[in-house]
Amino acid sequence: MKKIGMYIALFGVLAIVLPFFELQLRLLSWIDNWGETTSWIIKIGLIVVGGILFFMASKNETNVTNENQGE
């Protein structure tokens, strides 16, 4: 889950940054068809959801490691 969260957040950041360089990810080009406001909401949502997945997986790995050391 940690890698998936990292990739989702990375796609969100790239979707925000690349248009400033006249570039766009083909995978996420459909986002701009819904208008500017909706596009920004989806891009920021990708970053937030990716960050949540990344940090929840990190916390879960730490808890599993601590439980295994106690045995």
Side-chain angles (χ1 to χ4, degrees), residues 1-2 18 25-27 36 43 48 52-53 61 64:
M1 288 300 275
K2 190 174 181 180
L18 286 179
L25 291 173
R26 223 177 250 202
L27 179 67
E36 189 174 345
K43 292 172 187 177
V48 170
I52 289 171
L53 287 174
E61 287 177 4
V64 170

Side-chain angles (χ1 to χ4, degrees), residues 24-70:
Q24 188 175 22
L25 291 173
R26 223 177 250 202
L27 179 67
L28 299 176
S29 64
W30 59 271
I31 293 174
D32 294 328
N33 293 335
W34 292 354
E36 189 174 345
T37 304
T38 307
S39 161
W40 276 101
I41 290 170
I42 293 171
K43 292 172 187 177
I44 293 170
L46 284 171
I47 295 171
V48 170
V49 169
I52 289 171
L53 287 174
F54 181 81
F55 289 114
M56 290 296 284
S58 296
K59 185 184 288 188
N60 193 17
E61 287 177 4
T62 304
N63 289 340
V64 170
T65 304
N66 289 340
E67 288 176 4
N68 290 339
Q69 289 177 354

